Amino acid sequence: MLQIQLGPERPAEPGDSLGRSTIGWRPGMTEDEAWEAGRGIWKFNADRALAQDQVQIVNTEGLVLAVATITGITKHQGRYALEGELLRRDVRVGKPTTTPHRSRNSVAYF
């Protein structure tokens, strides 16, 4: 399992290669919004990420915001974005993760 922890919502960099206007987490965001915010753009080990079946997007309190299968990655100037299929209404969404994110790094492997 790959886990990506989102910090507070903030404006995306101008020219964000995923076309996002904001990144990060905010209360009330939908699973689709959490997936778009969380799927990229990160510095991670591409082979290790591709070896995972799923990704959980969590907030800093450990609440699961979205779950997706990983189908690939795309490269964005030395960083990566996940490609995948969002598992809408997954039973883990809205609940505390069973794998707490203890790293200061936003990306963790379980």
Side-chain angles (χ1 to χ4, degrees):
M1 168 80 62
L2 181 66
Q3 190 177 82
I4 296 177
Q5 183 181 67
L6 298 180
E9 187 176 65
R10 60 196 178 281
E13 294 291 324
D16 179 81
S17 60
L18 295 179
R20 303 170 299 176
S21 59
T22 61
I23 57 173
W25 171 81
R26 67 171 161 67
M29 71 188 323
T30 67
E31 290 176 71
D32 288 275
E33 291 169 329
W35 169 239
E36 283 306 311
R39 69 183 198 88
I41 298 173
W42 304 103
K43 189 177 268 192
F44 57 68
N45 180 309
D47 290 333
R48 197 166 175 196
L50 286 170
Q52 310 302 310
D53 293 324
Q54 294 183 338
V55 59
Q56 277 186 357
I57 310 297
V58 301
N59 67 12
T60 53
E61 288 82 42
L63 186 70
V64 178
L65 306 173
V67 179
T69 58
I70 298 171
T71 59
I73 59 171
T74 54
K75 193 169 184 178
H76 299 265
Q77 300 175 344
R79 293 179 181 254
Y80 300 97
L82 295 169
E83 300 298 325
E85 188 172 320
L86 182 62
L87 301 174
R88 288 182 181 83
R89 295 176 292 284
D90 186 279
V91 297
R92 295 168 282 186
V93 173
K95 297 178 182 164
T97 182
T98 58
T99 52
H101 198 102
R102 294 186 177 12
S103 173
R104 291 178 57 139
N105 190 338
S106 297
V107 178
Y109 307 88
F110 295 97

